[in-house]
Every structure is written in structure tokens, then in C-alpha cells.
């Protein structure tokens, strides 16, 4: 966050820092070099709103949008003044100031997050935290989160202690882009005989218009991606730049400015209460940014009952001084608190502890880190400051993250070598002959909970499973093209997690498996919904799948026969044969394609990997009856086409009404409802026997 990346010019002597308060006065402009005391208070209000809404309400506040606007406001003004003084953008000076102000505090927080993750977070969250710390340190966290946000399998991931670095990443990318933008405008000004400010205004206005239009369209099309997309946020920074260039020309009566100040402050405070996070960025981000514009346009009126009277209050200025480290610290402190207390939200008193500790850490970081770095680097050659401070800050973070990741990799390889002995990790075989799921030896669970989230079918790594947004049909073939038998795996993620078993069977028998899967999309033409909205891309995808199958003509389609749901609040769910399933099977019968329709797998109602990481496997057991019907719905399907064979492997996942998280020393679920690839491979013998029996082949 740009709380301290570029500070304002120092205030003048007492009594000289206020703009004229008479009729038609314009607020002193930071773009013109004047100190704006109300901006420091605005910083404080914005960061307190961010922290309060995160801690107590679990909502966005609009404060981040304010800081994006302030970034554009201050950076644009600084660069324009630089060009006006020197005739060019002094990149060394620009980056020297940025690196000194941004890197030290961020690196301290990131190292602290790594230490806190080891001490307080379950080990199933370690690897993701390491990856995101690196992304945050290198300023691409927003793109990491954008990718994760559209990844169906990642939708239940616990919040990362550094995910708030997404806004810092956008700003880091802005800092790379904006000197180029201002530099190009300076060249245009020189060639056209324009004033520098006029040229910069035109170029920045073009950036604003393009980014705003893109933001509105992309938010409507894919809000989860747009939320973290730099292109969809750039207009907020550009708006700040336009304000910096034009605010000195705005002349309003004092009473009008007072009204603007209060309206802007009220709009900013109420933003988080009225606008959900799912509406951002798009045009709704005009609410908090316009509120900040009104406050800045109002300026420091000097009025006794004006909003700037509050914004120039000394305690707010003190918080404004530490707003950057406060933003950095409040989120990891919150995440660690929730992990330690096993709460989903802090209490009123717990939230006060979180905010208090964050304030202490922020003040300490500014005094011990930011101020000391400023002292040490003062007077040093600018060309040396950037590499020296950058390396001194980045190396500890990247070294700690890389070393920890290498240690986890080594532990993983050691365990994998041990797992090679099937007698130690029988998985589903431990339930054979009435077994209770225990293995002959007391061994660590495999995959380790910390690795469970990546123990998914190779098709995800290969990019062969379609995400929830696009409608294009993706197909990937595994096995020989001239195989005697081809099976197409079709459906959503609960069809996809059968791939490891099918792949092993196909490999052993010389068959071919064609993967045709889309997240959360069932193989039916019946209307479907995703996150409460009509799932239109799923309907288009299903049409394409039938065309693909008609062309491919596999020997059989493997898909789900029922679907389960689980209401964790009520403690029970529902299992059904979805409308349209039978119709699809009849369409396949007309194409002379057999169907293997498997009963859906149970849902636990809790995150299995996290539970096993924090407790013993015996404490992490779900109930079959919470998501599966007592009597299989497959027994009552009317007029089943002759090409359909029903499969039910529930007894290889549950014993009686108990569905353990660990069977035969193997972790069954990597979340609360998707089967790990490792366990699914142990199901291959049972599934192979059923498939061959259905096909009339010898066992």
C-alpha cells in the first residue's frame, strides 16, 4: 500500500501551512508542492477502516481504493515536478525513494510471517504461505491470487497471511509503468510545444478511460479475476493523477468545500457497509475514490466544524505516519489469531487485541526499521541505494522462503521413498475383507497434510481441466492412440478425482483415457448454478462435450451418477440423481457409447487436511449419512438405458456410517470432498474389477 511510498513535502512553519480560506480559494496542491495536512488524516482514516472492516466485519472498506488514488495523486505530482525541474524523469532518484520506503518494512513483515506460519499455522498451509510470501516480495501477489481466484479447486483455501499484499503488487507494477507514462508525455510536450502538465493530463486521461472501461467489462464478465487485475485497477491510480494535475484549478466557496469534506468522509466511512466485495472493482469503486476526491478538493478549510478539523487532528496524523506498516501487520496478526484460537472471526475484545498489537508492531517497524534505513542511506549515491537496500531486504525473505521450501521438498522425497512399499500404505486395500482402515504399522500420514492440496490429478497440472469461467471444451488423451479401448472421463471435479484410478487401470491394460472435465459442471443439459448465479458457461460446455463425444466415439463414458451436497449448519445434506442425467445417457446410447455412472463420494463437512494436521486422524471422521442417502438413489432410477452400468465404491471410503480422513495410512481427502490422487490410486484394483465385470472381461 502506498501509505509511505512517497510522502508529501514537509509542512511549512506553524501558521503558514493552511490554504487561503476565503471565497473561491483553491486547496493547496501536493502536485504543486504544497503540504496537505488533511491527506495525512485521510491516510489514517483509510487504514483504520481497512483494519476494522477486516477484523470485525470480514468485509472490504474501500480504504484500499483510497490508497490507490492517493498513490496516483502523489506519484504523478512528484514525477511532473521532477520533469519540470530537470526536464526528465530521474529514475535513480525515483526508485531510491521508493525502495527506501517500501522494501524495509515489507521485508520485516514477510520474514515475520514465515516465522509466524511455522509457529502458529497448521503445516498444510506452510507451502502455500511460502509461495505467496515470494509472490509478495517480488510484487506479483495480485496475479497469484487472480489465478487462484478462478481455480475451482482453490475456492476453499484458507486465507493467506500475506494476501493483502495484492494491492502492494499492483502499486509496484504502477511504479514501473508510471515513469514511462510521464516520460512519454514529456516527449509529446516537447514535440508539440505543450506544457508538461497538459501533455501528462492527456496521456493519463487516456489511461483512465481505457482502464475504467476495461474494469467495468471485466468485472461483469469475471469479477474474481478483475478484483486483482492491475488493468482493472489502473484507472483508480490514474484518477489520482488527474486530480493532482487539476486540483489547483478548482476554486470553490469555503462553505461548498466544507460540505464536500463532510460528504466525502461520510461516503468513505459508509462504503464498506453498503457495497459488497463482490461488486468491486468496476464502477462501484467510484464510490470510495470519489469520496477521497471530495475530501482532497475540500482541502484544509480551517473551519471549526469542517471535516478537515478532524483530519488534521494530531492523533490521526500519528496513525497516518505509521499507516503503511499498520496495513502490513494487521492482516497476518488477524490470520494468526484466528488460527491459534480456532475461531472464524474475532470477538470484540479479540479484535481490539489484534488492532492494538498491530499498532505496536507498526510503530516499532517505523522507528526501528524505516527511520534507521532513512538515516543510514541519507547522502549515499542514489545509484547505490536501490541495489544495496533492495538486496539487503529481499535476500533474507527469499533465502528463508527458499530454504524452508527446500526442506519441505527433502522431507517429501524421503516420505515418498518410504511410501513405495505398498504394505506400509495400503490405502483402500486396508478396508478389504472387513478391515477397519488401519495399516500394519503406525506411520506418518501420506500425503502429508501440508502437501495434500497439490495431490490432485495430473490433468490439473497439465491444464486439461476447464475452469469455471470459459465454455471451451478441453480434451487431453492419456494412453496409446490405437488402444483397444477408450474411456472418456466427463463431468465436474467429482468426476475428475477418479482420473488417477482410471489412469492406472488404463496403463495396466493398454487402454486410453480422454479427460473432458469442467469445474463444478455436471454432465447434464439441465440449468445449473454456480455461486448463486446461472452457470451459463457450463451449459455451453455441455453442448460442446456432446459434439466432441460424437466425433470421438469412445467405447465408454465414465461420469457421476449422483451428486451430493452438505449443509454444514444443518449437519446433513442431500443425494440425488440430477435432472438431465438419464437424458444424457440416452443420447450416448444412440451413439452406441456405454456409460459407467459412479455414485458420488461422501462429503465430510470439514477440511480433512487441516483437521489431520491439527488433530489425530481418529478425530477427523465424517458420517456417511450427512451427505449420502440411506438408500442409494440409483436403486430407484426409472427406465435406465441398457448402455448404463452403475458403480458404487462407497464401501471403499467408509466403514458403516464412518468415513475416515485417513485409511491405511493414506489421507483420503485433500479438502472436505475431493479425494487425493494417492488414495484414488489405491482404489484402482476395486474399480478395475467392477469395470471388467461390467464389460464382460475376465477379472
Amino acid at each position: 500500500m502506498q501509505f509511505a511510498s512517497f510522502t508529501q513535502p514537509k509542512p511549512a512553519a506553524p501558521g503558514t501551512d493552511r490554504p487561503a480560506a476565503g471565497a473561491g480559494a483553491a486547496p493547496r496542491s501536493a502536485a504543486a508542492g504544497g503540504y496537505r495536512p488533511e491527506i495525512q488524516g485521510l491516510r489514517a482514516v483509510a487504514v483504520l477502516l481497512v483494519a476494522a472492516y477486516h477484523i470485525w466485519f470480514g468485509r472490504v472498506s474501500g480504504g484500499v481504493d483510497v490508497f490507490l488514488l492517493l498513490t496516483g495523486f502523489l506519484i504523478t505530482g512528484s514525477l511532473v515536478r521532477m520533469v519540470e525541474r530537470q526536464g526528465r524523469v530521474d529514475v535513480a532518484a525515483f526508485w531510491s525513494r521508493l525502495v527506501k520506503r517500501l522494501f524495509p518494512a515489507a521485508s520485516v513483515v514477510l520474514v515475520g510471517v514465515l516465522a509466524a506460519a511455522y509457529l502458529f499455522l497448521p503445516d498444510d498451509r506452510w507451502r502455500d504461505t511460502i509461495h505467496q510470501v515470494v509472490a509478495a516480495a517480488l510484487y506479483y501477489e495480485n496475479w497469484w491470487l487472480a489465478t487462484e481466484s478462478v481455480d475451482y479447486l482453490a475456492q476453499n483455501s484458507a486465507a493467506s497471511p500475506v494476501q493483502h499484499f495484492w494491492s502492494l503488487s499492483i502499486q509496484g507494477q504502477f511504479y514501473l509503468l508510471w515513469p514511462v507514462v510521464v516520460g512519454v508525455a514529456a516527449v509529446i510536450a516537447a514535440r508539440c510545444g505543450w506544457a508538461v502538465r497538459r501533455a501528462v493530463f492527456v496521456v493519463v486521461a487516456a489511461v483512465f478511460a481505457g482502464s475504467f472501461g476495461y474494469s467495468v467489462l471485466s468485472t461483469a464478465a469475471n469479477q474474481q479475476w478483475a478484483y486483482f487485475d492491475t488493468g482493472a485497477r489502473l484507472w483508480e491510480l490514474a484518477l489520482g493523477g488527474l486530480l493532482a494535475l487539476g486540483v489547483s484549478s478548482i476554486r470553490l466557496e469555503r462553505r461548498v468545500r466544507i460540505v464536500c469534506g463532510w460528504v466525502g468522509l461520510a461516503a468513505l466511512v459508509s462504503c464498506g457497509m453498503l457495497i459488497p466485495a463482490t461488486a468491486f472493482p468496476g464502477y462501484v469503486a467510484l464510490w470510495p475514490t470519489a469520496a477521497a476526491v471530495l475530501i482532497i478538493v475540500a482541502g484544509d478549510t480551517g473551519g471549526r466544524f469542517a471535516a478537515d478539523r478532524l483530519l488534521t487532528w494530531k492523533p490521526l496524523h500519528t496513525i497516518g505516519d505509521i499507516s503503511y506498516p499498520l496495513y502490513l501487520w494487521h492482516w497476518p496478526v488477524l490470520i494468526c489469531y484466528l488460527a491459534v484460537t480456532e475461531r472464524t472471526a474475532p470477538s470484540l475484545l479479540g479484535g481490539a487485541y489484534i488492532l492494538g498489537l498491530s499498532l505496536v508492531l507498526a510503530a516499532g517497524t517505523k522507528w526501528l526499521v524505516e527511520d534507521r534505513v532513512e538515516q543510514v542511506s541519507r547522502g549515499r549515491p542514489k545509484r547505490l541505494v536501490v541495489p544495496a537496500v533492495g538486496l539487503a531486504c529481499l535476500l533474507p525473505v527469499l533465502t528463508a522462503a527458499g530454504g524452508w521450501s527446500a526442506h519441505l521438498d527433502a522431507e517429501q522425497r524421503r516420505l515418498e521413498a518410504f511410501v513405495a512399499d505398498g504394505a506400509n500404505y495400503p490405502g483402500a486395500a486396508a478396508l478389504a475383507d472387513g478391515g477397519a482402515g488401519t495399516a500394519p504399522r503406525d506411520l506418518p500420514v501420506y500425503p502429508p497434510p501440508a502437501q495434500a492440496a497439490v495431490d490432485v490429478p495430473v490433468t490439473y497440472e497439465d491444464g486439461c481441466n476447464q475452469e469455471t469461467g470459459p465454455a471451451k471444451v478441453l480434451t487431453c488423451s492419456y494412453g496409446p492412440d490405437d488402444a483397444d479401448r477408450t474411456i472418456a472421463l466427463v463431468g465436474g471435479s467429482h468426476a475428475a478425482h477418479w482420473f488417477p484410478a482410471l489412469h492406472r487401470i488404463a496403463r495396466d491394460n493398454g487402454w486410453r483415457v480422454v479427460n473432458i472435465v469442467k469445474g463444478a459442471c455436471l454432465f447434464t443439459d439441465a440449468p445449473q448454478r454456480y455461486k448463486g448465479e446461472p452457470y451459463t458457461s457450463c451449459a455451453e460446455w455441455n453442448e460442446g462435450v456432446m459434439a466432441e463425444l460424437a466425433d470421438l466415439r469412445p467405447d465408454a463414458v465414465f461420469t457421476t451418477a449422483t451428486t451430493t451436497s452438505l449443509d454444514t449448519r444443518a449437519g446433513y445434506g442431500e443425494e440425488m440423481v440430477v435432472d438431465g442425467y438419464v437424458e444424457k445417457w440416452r443420447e450416448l446410447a444412440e451413439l452406441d457409447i456405454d456409460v459407467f455412472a459412479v455414485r458420488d463420494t461422501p462429503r465430510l463437512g470439514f477440511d480433512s487436511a487441516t483437521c489431520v494436521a491439527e488433530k489425530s486422524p481418529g478425530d477427523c471422521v465424517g458420517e456417511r449419512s450427512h451427505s449420502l442417502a440411506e438408500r442409494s438413489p440409483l436403486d430407484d432410477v426409472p427406465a435406465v438405458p441398457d448402455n448404463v452400468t452403475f458403480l458404487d465404491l462407497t464401501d471403499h471410503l467408509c466403514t458403516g456410517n464412518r468415513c475416515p480422513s485417513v485409511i491405511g495410512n493414506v489421507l483420503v481427502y485433500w479438502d472436505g470432498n475431493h479425494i487425493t490422487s494417492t488414495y484414488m490410486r489405491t482404489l484402482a484394483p476395486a474399480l478395475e474389477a467392477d469395470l471388467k465385470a461390467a464389460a464382460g472381461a475376465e477379472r
Side-chain angles (χ1 to χ4, degrees):
M1 198 46 56
Q2 190 292 127
F3 307 101
S5 61
F6 258 64
T7 56
Q8 302 183 75
K10 296 297 183 183
T16 66
D17 62 342
R18 291 182 180 272
R28 189 183 300 271
S29 170
Y35 178 67
R36 303 293 303 270
E38 75 283 0
I39 285 182
Q40 198 71 345
L42 178 58
R43 277 185 172 132
V45 170
V47 74
L48 289 174
L49 285 173
V50 169
Y53 274 89
H54 279 166
I55 293 170
W56 284 292
F57 307 111
R59 296 172 63 93
V60 299
S61 64
V64 167
D65 303 272
V66 171
F67 282 109
L68 292 176
L69 179 130
L70 288 178
T71 296
F73 182 83
L74 296 174
I75 295 297
T76 303
S78 176
L79 289 172
V80 167
R81 292 194 302 273
M82 184 183 293
V83 173
E84 289 176 333
R85 289 194 308 265
Q86 305 177 29
R88 63 184 180 86
V89 174
D90 187 343
V91 176
F94 178 76
W95 274 100
S96 175
R97 295 174 66 184
L98 283 175
V99 167
K100 285 190 297 182
R101 292 185 178 278
L102 293 179
F103 280 33
S107 64
V108 167
V109 172
L110 291 176
V111 170
V113 165
L114 289 173
Y118 179 78
L119 293 173
F120 304 125
L121 298 186
D123 58 4
D124 65 305
R125 296 173 64 180
W126 288 354
R127 192 170 290 276
D128 182 66
T129 299
I130 293 170
H131 290 162
Q132 293 204 40
V133 163
V134 173
L138 298 180
Y139 288 86
Y140 65 89
E141 171 71 357
N142 65 311
W143 296 117
W144 179 282
L145 292 174
T147 302
E148 291 290 296
S149 72
V150 296
D151 181 353
Y152 174 70
L153 288 183
Q155 63 181 313
N156 296 320
S157 298
S160 160
V162 294
Q163 70 179 37
H164 64 313
F165 271 73
W166 69 267
S167 58
L168 290 170
S169 297
I170 288 177
Q171 289 177 315
Q173 294 152 33
F174 169 80
Y175 297 141
L176 289 173
L177 172 66
W178 222 236
V180 177
V181 169
V182 174
V184 168
V187 172
I188 294 174
R191 293 190 176 182
C192 298
W194 292 357
V196 170
R197 288 174 182 265
R198 178 186 178 189
V200 173
F201 189 92
V202 170
V203 173
V204 172
V207 173
F208 170 83
S211 173
F212 182 76
Y214 170 74
S215 181
V216 171
L217 293 175
S218 62
T219 301
N222 190 347
Q223 185 272 337
Q224 291 178 301
W225 176 276
Y227 192 91
F228 303 109
D229 187 344
T230 302
R233 293 282 186 172
L234 192 57
W235 69 267
E236 299 180 70
L237 297 127
L239 179 60
L242 294 175
L243 180 63
L245 296 167
V247 68
S248 60
S249 301
I250 301 174
R251 297 186 175 276
L252 300 173
E253 296 289 338
R254 181 183 179 190
R255 59 178 176 269
V256 176
R257 290 165 50 204
I258 291 175
V259 171
C260 287
W262 280 117
V263 170
L265 189 59
L268 177 58
V269 172
S270 64
C271 177
M273 293 183 284
L274 301 175
I275 302 180
T278 53
F280 282 91
Y283 61 85
V284 300
L286 283 170
W287 182 307
T289 53
V293 168
L294 287 174
I295 292 171
I296 294 172
V297 167
D300 184 9
T301 67
R304 183 177 180 184
F305 300 105
D308 53 273
R309 182 82 173 189
L310 171 64
L311 295 175
T312 56
W313 186 36
K314 187 174 180 180
L316 274 185
H317 273 220
T318 301
I319 294 176
D321 289 340
I322 61 171
S323 55
Y324 176 53
L326 177 57
Y327 178 83
L328 294 177
W329 277 117
H330 85 281
W331 184 258
V333 171
L334 170 63
I335 295 303
C336 290
Y337 170 89
L338 296 177
V340 170
T341 60
E342 298 184 357
R343 297 175 63 99
T344 57
S347 63
L348 183 62
L349 181 60
Y353 288 146
I354 293 168
L355 184 57
L357 177 58
S358 301
L359 285 166
V360 171
L361 290 171
T365 300
K366 184 180 187 304
W367 184 70
L368 291 172
V369 180
E370 291 183 347
D371 293 348
R372 302 290 82 76
V373 170
E374 177 64 29
Q375 289 177 356
V376 171
S377 61
R378 187 176 299 141
R380 306 280 181 181
K382 296 181 178 64
R383 66 181 182 276
L384 298 179
V385 170
V386 173
V389 175
L391 288 174
C393 295
L394 285 178
L395 280 180
V397 177
L398 299 180
T399 300
W404 193 7
S405 181
H407 172 73
L408 292 178
D409 289 342
E411 289 295 305
Q412 175 79 358
R413 289 191 296 270
R414 182 187 64 80
L415 187 54
E416 285 175 351
F418 199 66
V419 171
D421 184 353
N424 293 325
Y425 291 86
L431 293 180
D433 301 322
T438 57
R441 296 173 60 184
D442 184 16
L443 298 171
V445 171
Y446 186 87
Q451 299 295 319
V454 296
D455 194 32
V456 296
V458 69
T459 52
Y460 285 95
E461 182 179 342
D462 293 344
C464 296
N465 289 8
Q466 185 59 275
E467 300 290 354
T468 54
K472 179 183 177 181
V473 176
L474 300 178
T475 62
C476 290
S477 179
Y478 297 83
D481 292 337
D482 59 349
D484 293 335
R485 188 165 183 78
T486 296
I487 298 178
L489 176 63
V490 181
S493 62
H494 274 224
H497 64 198
W498 287 95
F499 177 85
L502 285 175
H503 190 212
R504 173 161 291 187
I505 295 167
R507 185 195 62 192
D508 293 344
N509 291 274
W511 299 350
R512 180 167 65 131
V513 177
V514 179
N515 188 78
I516 312 176
V517 169
K518 177 176 171 65
C521 185
L522 303 175
F523 186 41
T524 173
D525 288 334
Q528 299 181 56
R529 301 182 72 83
Y530 179 62
K531 294 188 174 180
E533 300 293 331
Y535 197 0
T536 55
S537 69
C538 178
E540 296 176 30
W541 179 83
N542 267 300
E543 292 180 9
V545 168
M546 285 306 302
E548 185 68 32
L549 292 173
D551 182 59
L552 178 64
R553 294 300 175 101
D555 296 283
V557 164
F558 188 100
T559 189
T560 50
T562 67
T563 186
T564 55
S565 63
L566 178 65
D567 186 337
T568 55
R569 294 169 297 179
Y572 60 85
E574 184 179 12
E575 181 185 14
M576 67 179 72
V577 177
V578 175
D579 291 341
Y581 270 6
V582 176
E583 287 73 13
K584 280 292 185 185
W585 302 339
R586 290 199 180 103
E587 290 182 45
L588 294 174
E590 294 175 3
L591 296 173
D592 197 25
I593 298 173
D594 290 333
V595 175
F596 295 115
V598 65
R599 188 181 186 186
D600 201 2
T601 48
R603 298 173 185 263
L604 298 182
F606 56 86
D607 189 287
S608 176
T610 299
C611 181
V612 172
E614 297 175 346
K615 306 174 183 178
S616 68
D619 295 325
C620 305
V621 178
E623 295 185 28
R624 182 198 299 229
S625 57
H626 280 180
S627 60
L628 294 182
E630 182 177 355
R631 172 183 169 84
S632 173
L634 300 177
D635 295 339
D636 302 316
V637 179
V640 178
D642 293 338
N643 66 322
V644 177
T645 299
F646 291 135
L647 306 173
D648 186 350
L649 283 87
T650 307
D651 288 342
H652 298 275
L653 295 163
C654 305
T655 58
N657 195 42
R658 292 171 53 84
C659 301
S661 290
V662 177
I663 297 174
N665 287 331
V666 176
L667 188 65
V668 181
Y669 297 84
W670 67 263
D671 58 358
N673 62 95
H674 294 97
I675 311 297
T676 64
S677 288
T678 300
Y679 189 81
M680 190 57 78
R681 282 190 288 269
T682 70
L683 270 174
L687 179 60
E688 181 178 7
D690 288 352
L691 291 176
K692 287 186 174 181
E698 289 188 14
R699 295 175 181 261

